[in-house]
Amino acid sequence: MNQPTRILTLALLLLQLMDSIDAKMSIISTKLDFKVGDEILLLCKAGAEGDITWQKDGEDIDDEEIVNKLDEASSKLVIKKATMQDAGRYTCHCDFDSGHKDDAQIQLFVYDGPSFGSTKTYHEFLEGTDGLVPCLVTGQPQVDVQWFKNQQEISNVGGHMRKQSDNTLRIEKVKREDAGTYVCRAQIRGRPSIFMELSVSVVVNAPPTVRLREEVKKVLAGPETNVSLLCLVDGLPQPNITWTMPVQFNPSRHHFNSDSSQLTIQSVVREDFGEYVCTATNKIAESSATIMLHVFEAPEVFVSAEQQRVLVGEAVSVSCNVTGHPHPELHWLNKQNGQTLSSTSGRVRVVDNVLMIDEVVPSDGGLYSCMAISSSGNASRDVAVYTQPGPPLYLSVSAGPASVHFSLKTTPVSGGTPITSFVLQWKEKPTEQWKENTVPATDPLVINLKPYTSYTVRLSALNAVGRGKFSETHNVHTQGIRKFFTHYQHII
């Protein structure tokens, strides 16, 4: 072979080699993963003219509706609606006009779903029961399911929540804190980017419970007395609270707080006593509790007269009534001697709560108290009995120069009201009328009479009611008036 021939042959070989190098095969696709129903579009570029054919998993594709020749160097494969059977390896083969052969391959993945179908997205469970939260996932190929709460995956190890083999989330002995939003995440196995999430709400219900701080409340009635009855209620959903009262609701005295858990009664009266029933109700159940309110009334005492003025020998009658709850015991007390009057017979007696004194004597005068005694308190009302004073006793009389002095060892019985003065009486002869002089109780008991004269004298006390009985009479002879002389007169 001559030199020119060799040069031409080498040039042809070089040209064929260059054509082989430039004719690169490639398949262009927007993605590798297709959902059932998606359109699949594959573009094969040969890089040089030639005969392009397609294969799937080694089998020729002859369907002209699927394969279309664009030009001598490119072809496209179009599947309008992908099915699961369309997944596989696609090969674009080219027999180049230059005699060179080449191909390009691409692996397509087709999936269906995942889908949650008729999975419920809202569940309610009773506290303490076992809850099942299904996740009805379908998809092809295999679908993996995970459960999340608060962005944390729920582990099957430990705890009271676990995923069952059918992807249902089981919550054992549901707690209140289990309420919230759960996420069921369904992922096509081997394709982390292909997943769907479904939010499921879980509500925990609990029947109402009612707890009382005090089952029995005791208060004393009065305009300044306010009492609060507290009903501690629990339950889910939040229970509605109502009250049943033994009296008609009065908005001016009965007040509730914002959730009606506390009832306040203002200016408590006796009629407020009784059972107060607190009832808590929600859609699960109803519960109630009873508070017994005992209302006590402080005793009050009423007497028919607070003061009685009677003469010695007359009668006294004073009635006494008491009120209060519980009903008080009634007692009459003689405040002069501190003794309780319990006798129902005799001159001084108590009959049907009436103090009765027959034939009053001076020592009956003074204060008497009608007393009411009960567990809710004590009360009393005094009654003053006034009568004439008693006669002066232990009286001594002494004569002075033209005078008589009275001396008392003890003060006469006052008759219940202070002795204001004394009446001093005297006479010379039994047939004469008594003469008298009234002396203030604070002054000396002295009367000026004639000297060297015999007298009969006596004394009585006087108070606001009148004069008391006189003392026994005393006979006394007055002395003469002494005269004093000077020394000069005596010498004469």
Side-chain angles (χ1 to χ4, degrees):
M1 183 178 294
N2 56 21
Q3 186 68 21
T5 302
R6 283 199 294 267
I7 294 174
L8 180 60
T9 302
L10 183 61
L12 289 172
L13 291 174
L14 182 61
L15 182 61
Q16 290 179 357
L17 180 62
M18 290 181 64
D19 287 343
S20 174
I21 293 174
D22 291 337
K24 276 190 175 183
M25 297 288 295
S26 64
I27 298 176
I28 300 172
S29 176
T30 56
K31 57 186 179 180
L32 299 178
D33 297 336
F34 293 89
K35 188 175 182 180
V36 170
D38 285 352
E39 181 182 74
I40 300 175
L41 173 60
L42 302 179
L43 179 63
C44 179
K45 298 191 71 174
E49 294 182 356
D51 184 20
I52 300 174
T53 60
W54 288 87
Q55 289 182 335
K56 176 181 179 292
D57 298 330
E59 298 290 332
D60 291 337
I61 302 174
D62 297 326
D63 192 341
E64 294 182 357
E65 292 184 2
I66 296 177
V67 175
N68 292 291
K69 182 178 179 181
L70 299 179
D71 54 35
E72 295 300 324
S74 61
S75 174
K76 69 176 181 179
L77 183 147
V78 178
I79 301 174
K80 295 295 185 181
K81 291 184 178 180
T83 65
M84 293 298 298
Q85 290 71 31
D86 293 324
R89 181 175 298 277
Y90 287 80
T91 302
C92 174
H93 181 81
C94 183
D95 291 330
F96 292 96
D97 292 346
S98 62
H100 173 68
K101 296 181 179 181
D102 199 0
D103 61 37
Q105 295 182 347
I106 188 170
Q107 183 73 34
L108 297 185
F109 185 84
V110 179
Y111 63 92
D112 184 14
S115 171
F116 295 101
S118 59
T119 300
K120 289 176 61 177
T121 58
Y122 181 84
H123 297 270
E124 292 190 19
F125 302 114
L126 193 61
E127 182 182 22
T129 62
D130 292 342
L132 296 176
V133 185
C135 187
L136 308 176
V137 177
T138 58
Q140 295 183 60
Q142 187 67 34
V143 177
D144 293 325
V145 172
Q146 295 170 291
W147 280 98
F148 293 84
K149 184 172 188 282
N150 299 329
Q151 299 181 344
Q152 297 292 324
E153 183 179 0
I154 297 173
S155 171
N156 277 356
V157 180
H160 67 294
M161 298 184 189
R162 61 184 176 86
K163 186 188 74 172
Q164 298 185 156
S165 59
D166 63 352
N167 297 325
T168 296
L169 178 65
R170 181 181 181 86
I171 308 174
E172 297 180 349
K173 295 182 179 179
V174 173
K175 305 174 184 178
R176 296 192 181 195
E177 53 267 29
D178 294 332
T181 300
Y182 292 75
V183 174
C184 178
R185 179 187 177 103
Q187 174 193 308
I188 298 296
R189 184 170 295 176
R191 288 293 189 272
S193 62
I194 304 175
F195 65 88
M196 292 289 288
E197 291 183 340
L198 180 69
S199 295
V200 180
S201 296
V202 171
V203 173
V204 179
N205 295 321
T209 58
V210 179
R211 184 168 56 88
L212 303 176
R213 283 188 179 174
E214 298 174 284
E215 293 184 357
V216 178
K217 193 92 169 178
K218 298 179 180 180
V219 296
L220 194 64
E224 302 301 322
T225 300
N226 300 329
V227 63
S228 292
L229 308 179
L230 185 59
C231 180
L232 301 175
V233 172
D234 188 27
L236 290 173
Q238 182 66 35
N240 181 51
I241 301 174
T242 58
W243 289 82
T244 302
M245 301 187 293
V247 294
Q248 187 174 0
F249 178 75
N250 183 347
S252 65
R253 293 199 309 115
H254 299 146
H255 303 281
F256 296 104
N257 63 349
S258 58
D259 63 355
S260 297
S261 62
Q262 179 172 287
L263 167 62
T264 300
I265 306 172
Q266 296 181 331
S267 302
V268 176
V269 295
R270 169 65 188 145
E271 289 72 22
D272 290 322
F273 86 98
E275 292 183 345
Y276 289 76
V277 181
C278 168
T279 301
T281 307
N282 65 12
K283 65 181 181 181
I284 306 302
E286 178 179 289
S287 180
S288 62
T290 301
I291 303 173
M292 184 64 195
L293 179 62
H294 292 284
V295 179
F296 299 98
E297 286 183 310
E300 286 191 86
V301 179
F302 306 92
V303 294
S304 59
E306 293 187 350
Q307 186 183 105
Q308 291 247 308
R309 288 175 176 242
V310 294
L311 299 178
V312 171
E314 293 181 346
V316 169
S317 177
V318 180
S319 64
C320 180
N321 292 312
V322 296
T323 61
H325 183 83
H327 192 73
E329 295 180 5
L330 187 150
H331 300 280
W332 276 99
L333 177 70
N334 185 334
K335 298 187 78 172
Q336 281 66 249
N337 54 26
Q339 293 183 351
T340 301
L341 304 175
S342 57
S343 176
T344 57
S345 62
R347 192 181 63 82
V348 180
R349 60 194 182 278
V350 176
V351 179
D352 295 331
N353 300 334
V354 178
L355 172 64
M356 305 178 73
I357 306 175
D358 295 336
E359 297 179 357
V360 170
V361 297
S363 59
D364 294 329
L367 289 179
Y368 295 80
S369 183
C370 180
M371 301 179 62
I373 301 174
S374 79
S375 58
S376 58
N378 302 326
S380 64
R381 182 83 66 175
D382 288 343
V383 176
V385 175
Y386 300 145
T387 188
Q388 298 148 288
L393 302 176
Y394 308 109
L395 173 66
S396 62
V397 179
S398 61
S403 63
V404 173
H405 297 261
F406 295 86
S407 179
L408 290 169
K409 292 183 180 180
T410 59
T411 303
V413 175
S414 69
T417 185
I419 294 173
T420 57
S421 56
F422 288 93
V423 178
L424 293 68
Q425 288 189 342
W426 69 92
K427 62 181 177 178
E428 294 181 38
K429 297 178 181 181
T431 57
E432 289 182 349
Q433 295 290 326
W434 288 98
K435 297 176 183 177
E436 66 181 38
N437 189 18
T438 301
V439 178
T442 56
D443 290 355
L445 303 179
V446 178
I447 50 175
N448 296 318
L449 301 173
K450 294 185 295 184
Y452 306 111
T453 306
S454 295
Y455 290 96
T456 300
V457 296
R458 63 182 182 178
L459 181 69
S460 70
L462 186 68
N463 65 11
V465 178
R467 187 177 66 186
K469 286 186 178 181
F470 279 94
S471 65
E472 295 181 351
T473 60
H474 291 259
N475 295 319
V476 64
H477 188 79
T478 58
Q479 300 175 8
I481 300 175
R482 295 182 181 180
K483 293 184 179 181
F484 295 93
F485 299 95
T486 65
H487 178 70
Y488 176 77
Q489 289 174 323
H490 180 71
I491 294 175
I492 294 176

